[in-house]
Amino acid sequence: MSLRQARHAQTQNFRSLKDEDDLPPRAKTTAWMAGYETDDSDCDSEILGDTDGGRPTVHDKDGPDLVFLGHPAYLVDMFSLFSTPSPDHRWTASCWMYIFFPFVWLIGFFLAHLRRRLCCSSHLVVDEVVYNGIRMQTWVVHHFGRNFRNNCQRHDSRKNVEIAAQAAERAGCRVLGLGALNKAEFLNHGGKDLLDKLPEDRSMAITHGNHLTAAAVVETVRQLVEAGHAKGKVPYITGATSKTGRAVALSLRKHYGIQLMCHSSSPERREDLEKHGLLTTDKFEDGHDSPLWIIGKYDLRVCDHIPKNGVACVFAVPDPFAISGKRPDVTNLEGATLHIDESRLDRPRKFTNLLKTNEIYACHAGSILRACSPELGTKDELGDIDPDSLPSYIARAKAVGITVPPPPPIPLAEDESDASTSESDDEESKCC
């Protein structure tokens, strides 16, 4: 028996256990470390050609409709594989996990830089469910947020994403969704570079999911403004000239009549926004009077300039408020986290990207939307975002049970609280 046949048989044994439902997380993680997750398929397949360094490309005739490709942010996030998602709270690392940091660092280094060279695989399948009739899988690529810091580490991260994309095509996937920094402009130009790494006759569409991300942010801001969070002032937005930020700003202005103060350090990009009737500035100080901020760029300076008891709608990765931890007075809302209709799942999700069981990131939901929509599923979504199409994405998402959560009650500022308290005291004294 050849080594490849032995590994295939080993994988089949593992899958037969998995089909009996519910390998515990410990077994799932052990299988990952042992390298059982291969590109072979236990379904009928056909040879498409040699596209991967001399390896024949196998196309699975019964592959998943959707693969969402994410990656962990921190090394300690590996421990989340041992947990079960909760409907009440998100997964967070416990203090004791950092005791194992040296060991975890070694594992992380092996996974990010060496495993694909030894096993020709760069991902772990962490979840598989059927939602709204769509068979979807979540794959975690073997690199972390720390592996995007310099060109040397980005090279391996780029190769990991390419190999995972090729594996998804061989598996017969119809839609590949790119999550987090797997679609960063500095990594692969928003996913466009992956097209040259795949067969010319590929059947898989690739999506960055940014249309639904932008639509979710627009809908969240619209709800916040209608609920009174802006308090009659012009909202302040950072990252307004990015791919997603620009679409958000233009859609809010054109379709909902919401004026914005857009921050950008580029005079040319500010001029472009001004042509569309938006206000622009290169100073954070111009947002001091705006109680509602829209954060579309990672910049820790926003933590110093957002007004006290302000509201921040954040879609930047990473979240500057979560990283700094300096502004507990600010109401921090995730503009690109949606709710999913769990009744449409054939089984509970085993991995939710550290979110609650009913939560899903907009880029993930965007790939589901594309897989559920025949008119979208055959097209790549890798270029610029069309601001005029965003309202239709919200309607399509609702049709498949994906919704934007309503905003929380408006927080009462301290000065308003004191004023209302004094007024009530005056009324009580008058009654007495």
Side-chain angles (χ1 to χ4, degrees), residues 19-327:
D19 289 342
E20 291 177 11
D21 211 355
D22 305 302
L23 268 180
R26 182 185 303 274
K28 178 171 61 177
T29 307
T30 303
W32 179 27
M33 296 303 300
Y36 291 171
E37 195 64 58
T38 70
D39 298 332
D40 296 314
S41 171
D42 54 356
C43 306
D44 293 336
S45 58
E46 57 184 347
I47 301 297
L48 294 184
D50 185 4
T51 62
D52 188 11
R55 299 172 60 208
T57 300
V58 179
H59 191 286
D60 187 347
K61 293 181 178 178
D62 191 25
D65 297 299
L66 161 67
V67 166
F68 179 71
L69 202 62
H71 69 82
Y74 305 104
L75 290 172
V76 292
D77 289 347
M78 282 192 280
F79 287 101
S80 65
L81 295 174
F82 295 87
S83 67
T84 300
S86 167
D88 302 317
H89 58 82
R90 297 180 177 182
W91 185 90
T92 55
S94 301
C95 295
W96 62 265
M97 297 178 183
Y98 292 92
I99 299 175
F100 299 93
F101 188 81
F103 179 65
V104 171
W105 187 93
L106 290 174
I107 295 178
F109 182 86
F110 169 78
L111 293 174
H113 303 293
L114 301 177
R115 186 174 186 270
R116 65 177 172 81
R117 293 179 170 89
L118 299 176
C119 306
C120 299
S121 176
S122 65
H123 70 276
L124 163 69
V125 181
V126 294
D127 188 43
E128 179 174 354
V129 295
V130 175
Y131 179 80
N132 209 60
I134 298 298
R135 179 187 170 198
M136 60 182 192
Q137 295 180 347
T138 300
W139 293 9
V140 174
V141 188
H142 299 157
H143 52 244
F144 305 81
R146 63 188 293 118
N147 301 123
F148 295 91
R149 294 181 300 183
N150 55 58
N151 289 332
C152 179
Q153 296 197 35
R154 288 176 187 174
H155 170 76
D156 283 333
S157 299
R158 185 178 300 110
K159 291 297 295 183
N160 287 340
V161 174
E162 292 172 2
I163 291 174
Q166 292 165 353
E169 167 67 17
R170 287 195 297 271
C173 171
R174 290 198 297 112
V175 176
L176 175 67
L178 303 177
L181 295 178
N182 288 333
K183 57 183 176 182
E185 287 291 330
F186 61 76
L187 188 75
N188 50 33
H189 296 94
K192 291 182 180 179
D193 293 349
L194 296 177
L195 301 181
D196 294 334
K197 308 298 180 180
L198 297 171
E200 293 183 1
D201 59 345
R202 63 186 170 91
S203 59
M204 179 179 69
I206 305 178
T207 173
H208 50 42
N210 287 345
H211 272 85
L212 187 56
T213 298
V217 175
V218 168
E219 178 64 13
T220 301
V221 173
R222 183 193 66 80
Q223 292 183 11
L224 291 172
V225 172
E226 289 186 358
H229 285 266
K231 300 179 182 178
K233 304 292 182 64
V234 175
Y236 188 90
I237 179 172
T238 68
T241 57
S242 66
K243 182 185 297 183
T244 303
R246 184 177 183 276
V248 168
L250 295 181
S251 181
L252 284 170
R253 179 61 177 154
K254 180 176 181 180
H255 295 284
Y256 302 103
I258 298 176
Q259 181 61 280
L260 299 176
M261 177 63 73
C262 305
H263 176 271
S264 174
S265 58
S266 169
E268 294 79 11
R269 294 184 177 185
R270 291 201 305 271
E271 183 179 355
D272 171 66
L273 293 175
E274 290 169 359
K275 290 179 181 178
H276 292 86
L278 291 161
L279 304 177
T280 66
T281 181
D282 60 351
K283 298 180 178 63
F284 283 104
E285 290 80 4
D286 290 338
H288 284 176
D289 294 332
S290 301
L292 175 59
W293 281 41
I294 308 164
I295 310 300
K297 179 181 179 180
Y298 175 71
D299 192 326
L300 292 176
R301 290 178 294 176
V302 300
C303 303
D304 299 324
H305 291 282
I306 188 171
K308 187 176 182 181
N309 298 311
V311 178
C313 176
V314 182
F315 64 97
V317 179
D319 179 352
F321 294 99
I323 297 297
S324 69
K326 294 195 304 184
R327 296 298 302 271

